Amino acid sequence: MKTKILAATLALTLAPSMALAMGCSYGEHKQAASCQAGSSWDADKGMCVATPTG
């Protein structure tokens, strides 16, 4: 019984570390949810920029 508890504890302890090691890409892609009217998202600058009119 102790072996099963030890194995379960070890698996639950290492699970978050293994998830990160497998390539979690949290925060890798940054993008604006929306820009104000008259502006658009510029991926190179990483921000909203005024859209030229005319």
Side-chain angles (χ1 to χ4, degrees):
M1 186 62 134
K2 287 184 180 181
T3 305
K4 289 181 182 179
I5 293 173
L6 180 62
T9 303
L10 184 62
L12 291 173
T13 303
L14 294 177
S17 300
M18 294 303 288
L20 289 174
M22 302 266 314
C24 179
S25 62
Y26 176 76
E28 185 176 320
H29 303 285
K30 295 181 181 177
Q31 176 177 333
S34 62
C35 296
Q36 294 180 352
S39 62
S40 61
W41 181 253
D42 185 341
D44 294 331
K45 293 182 179 179
M47 58 188 239
C48 292
V49 295
T51 303
T53 57

